[in-house]
Amino acid sequence: MIAKISDIAKYDGQEVTIQGWVANLRSSGKIVFLQLRDGSTGILQAVVSEKVSNKQVTYWKTVELLTIESSVVVNGKIRKESRAPGGFEMEVSDLRLVQRSVEFPIGKKEHGPEFLLDNRQLWLRSQRQVAILRVRDTIIWALREFFRKEGFVMTDTPILTPTSCEGTTTLFETEYFGEKAYLSQSGQLYLEALAMALGKVYDFGPTFRAEKSKTRRHLTEFWMLDAEMAFMDLSESITLQERMIVFVVKKVLAENKKELEILERDIKPLEKVAEGGFIRMTYDQALAELKKLGSDIKWGADLGNDDETILTKAYPKPIFVTHYPVEVKAFYMKPDPENPKTALCADLLAPEGYGEVIGGSQRIDDLKLLEQRLKEQKLPKKDFEWYLDLRRYGSVPHSGFGIGLERTVTWICGLKHVRESIPFPRMINRLTP
Ligand code: 4AD
Ligand code: MG
């Protein structure tokens, strides 16, 4: 019977097969201790002795060939062993070498991040990276499950686009049969068209920003889930976002206990988030708070990375910062009728210093105002005619938001840098492997 290491406890006393790799090995004379990994969470110690029941084992020669990361198929009996990782070990009765690995470059000593990233194809095999990718998987499915339950339609928006969505400074340009095209920064504009067709919609796919910043929060290619809701205002959208985050965090806490342990993630702050009751404050309130915390931010500036860090360290719950000045936000955001210098928008800042994970707003639904905003931002009207149509043919109040998957994974896993949250990170100085 082929067993998975993650549920090895189920097989106590039974003879099972493990298909996997030798994560580590050490020998003391006639006994070899293998640390096996098989892609599931956890490590299984497998003990090979030269003799089993007084009989010389036939595969001892094979055992002597084993190296770190050699692929193997191992049979043996599972028994309780409190000193072994995971509390069980295997007494090996047979072992087949699938391929003898050449010397593995990772693991002998401490490595710097650049070395590990250069060897990302192999680094991915470490327990820590496996744990992160499993949490990422849980988050993706939790998001999908949430939106399905809420009655949203999952749909898709294009990656090759003729215009920008989030400003022209971070566009990746490419040649498109003699014309210019850009890689999508967000599916939002297209999603607005889909919301007018289907009501409540979301997309989930890769997005691109030619970010020249080398921060722990920025990738040039990342996954975004955009959601767009017809007949919904900013406040209702914020409530929906809070429900979504609570749902996702609860799922991870329920399904990824072992992974969070491997990552040494303190789960108390996550349990606080799972209670709901997120904080809402306006940009003006955030500024007042930031000044008290020592920031010299002036009205009209976007919150910087450091501002987000100190603000979110001061509160145990995620914070919705609303009503930013219109100048620092995208052209499509609806100005607040009560104070048109500010937009009906909200960024969700994750606690513990993590900062922005969601950006969203109510959209301008008035044709004239939207035309004026395009002009002010020097965006070519003719390229946006199709988008303006949404305000000509049955325009309705509508809102939406985008959640960055990698920022969310980084926060929930408690990582120091966003680069570990995606299998193959793309950053200003990295396109390989
Ligand atoms: O705040 P942003 O730029 O919002 C939009 O793109 C809207 N069009 C979304 C919408 O309303 N449908 O990006 C949304 C989120 C950010 O909050 C952040 O989590 C993530 O995308 N993000 C990045 N993640 C990693 N690296 C980057 N360079 C990112 N830029 C944005
Ligand atoms: Mg943003």
Side-chain angles (χ1 to χ4, degrees):
M1 190 185 336
I2 295 167
K4 279 275 156 220
I5 290 174
S6 54
D7 46 36
I8 207 69
K10 282 203 294 217
Y11 301 97
D12 188 17
Q14 293 179 50
E15 178 95 14
V16 298
T17 302
I18 296 288
Q19 299 175 318
W21 294 264
V22 177
N24 216 335
L25 76 170
R26 82 191 145 81
S27 65
S28 68
K30 306 282 178 214
I31 300 183
V32 176
F33 295 93
L34 305 177
Q35 308 279 318
L36 299 177
R37 60 169 197 91
D38 71 350
S40 67
T41 299
I43 289 285
L44 178 65
Q45 175 161 291
V47 188
V48 199
S49 343
E50 198 180 359
K51 284 190 175 140
V52 173
S53 317
N54 287 330
K55 275 200 294 220
Q56 189 80 18
V57 299
T58 52
Y59 52 85
W60 190 255
K61 283 251 162 331
T62 313
V63 176
E64 287 175 337
L65 289 174
L66 292 179
T67 54
I68 288 176
E69 283 306 312
S70 284
S71 40
V72 288
V73 178
V74 192
N75 294 307
K77 201 163 162 188
I78 302 301
R79 62 177 178 221
K80 278 209 178 73
E81 170 51 70
S82 58
R83 286 164 300 176
F88 290 87
E89 70 176 12
M90 175 191 257
E91 186 187 29
V92 177
S93 55
D94 197 10
L95 182 146
R96 183 160 66 82
L97 179 60
V98 181
Q99 194 249 340
R100 180 170 196 263
S101 174
V102 296
E103 196 180 346
F104 199 63
I106 300 175
K108 289 265 162 65
K109 54 178 188 318
E110 281 286 310
H111 302 289
E114 289 309 313
F115 176 85
L116 291 169
L117 286 165
D118 285 341
N119 289 283
R120 185 65 172 159
Q121 69 282 8
L122 303 177
W123 184 28
L124 287 172
R125 302 177 182 197
S126 81
Q127 275 227 84
R128 207 183 129 76
Q129 301 306 314
V130 167
I132 295 168
L133 293 179
R134 285 187 176 274
V135 174
R136 181 181 162 110
D137 174 64
T138 303
I139 293 172
I140 293 169
W141 284 103
L143 286 166
R144 291 190 182 284
E145 192 184 336
F146 174 80
F147 282 103
R148 186 137 224 225
K149 279 194 180 146
E150 295 273 338
F152 281 64
V153 177
M154 156 78 198
T155 182
D156 304 294
T157 53
I159 286 173
L160 286 168
T161 61
T163 52
S164 80
C165 176
E166 293 299 315
T168 50
T169 53
T170 62
L171 279 176
F172 273 114
E173 194 179 300
T174 177
E175 216 258 1
Y176 194 76
F177 307 111
E179 283 177 49
K180 273 183 190 167
Y182 308 98
L183 301 184
S184 175
Q185 298 166 307
S186 157
Q188 180 197 322
L189 305 186
Y190 294 94
L191 209 57
E192 285 183 53
L194 286 155
M196 298 307 137
L198 292 153
K200 293 196 287 186
V201 289
Y202 76 98
D203 69 8
F204 202 171
T207 47
F208 306 86
R209 306 269 169 110
E211 297 274 8
K212 299 230 165 64
S213 26
K214 274 193 198 168
T215 79
R216 63 191 172 93
R217 295 176 177 152
H218 286 91
L219 295 166
T220 52
E221 176 180 310
F222 60 96
W223 282 64
M224 198 196 300
L225 183 154
D226 298 281
E228 198 70 32
M229 298 77 70
F231 295 101
M232 199 180 271
D233 66 15
L234 177 68
S235 176
E236 294 167 298
S237 170
I238 287 177
T239 310
L240 174 78
Q241 291 167 48
E242 175 169 334
R243 275 209 303 284
M244 172 187 79
I245 294 290
V246 166
F247 185 86
V248 169
V249 169
K250 277 188 175 161
K251 264 270 149 91
V252 173
L253 285 171
E255 292 183 5
N256 295 111
K257 270 217 150 52
K258 275 193 195 165
E259 286 78 10
L260 295 173
E261 248 170 62
I262 290 169
L263 296 169
E264 295 174 356
R265 176 64 161 115
D266 177 6
I267 60 167
K268 279 192 216 81
L270 295 177
E271 287 168 344
K272 268 237 117 20
V273 172
E275 292 166 6
F278 294 8
I279 295 153
R280 293 186 191 196
M281 61 170 81
T282 63
Y283 172 87
D284 285 6
Q285 290 168 329
L287 246 60
E289 201 56 44
L290 278 167
K291 283 192 179 131
K292 276 191 232 157
L293 294 165
S295 168
D296 57 1
I297 184 169
K298 303 265 173 332
W299 200 95
D302 203 354
L303 299 196
N305 283 330
D306 294 344
D307 294 320
E308 289 187 2
T309 303
I310 54 174
L311 189 62
T312 60
K313 278 190 173 163
Y315 293 88
K317 304 260 184 180
I319 308 168
F320 285 105
V321 179
T322 65
H323 300 83
Y324 284 72
V326 286
E327 295 85 65
V328 299
K329 292 292 180 187
F331 74 94
Y332 51 72
M333 292 191 181
K334 184 175 170 115
D336 183 356
E338 286 172 19
N339 179 8
K341 281 193 155 83
T342 65
L344 293 175
C345 66
D347 279 3
L348 179 65
L349 312 185
E352 303 171 81
Y354 281 95
E356 182 189 342
V357 289
I358 300 179
S361 71
Q362 190 163 333
R363 321 305 191 188
I364 295 175
D365 46 52
D366 178 70
L367 178 63
K368 284 276 160 320
L369 183 55
L370 190 54
E371 286 174 339
Q372 184 194 322
R373 290 292 290 146
L374 283 171
K375 209 173 187 174
E376 281 165 15
Q377 304 244 336
K378 298 192 176 62
L379 291 164
K381 186 172 168 227
K382 71 166 182 13
D383 291 344
F384 288 89
E385 282 300 337
W386 69 269
Y387 182 65
L388 292 168
D389 267 359
L390 310 177
R391 280 75 181 166
R392 293 186 181 111
Y393 301 95
S395 187
V396 300
H398 62 291
S399 301
F401 60 89
I403 174 168
L405 176 62
E406 288 73 20
R407 297 248 184 114
T408 307
V409 172
T410 302
W411 158 49
I412 292 179
C413 288
L415 310 179
K416 290 206 176 68
H417 197 295
V418 72
R419 65 188 165 216
E420 279 184 81
S421 67
I422 184 165
F424 294 97
R426 299 288 175 250
M427 294 172 286
I428 180 166
N429 54 358
R430 180 164 296 278
L431 185 62
T432 54

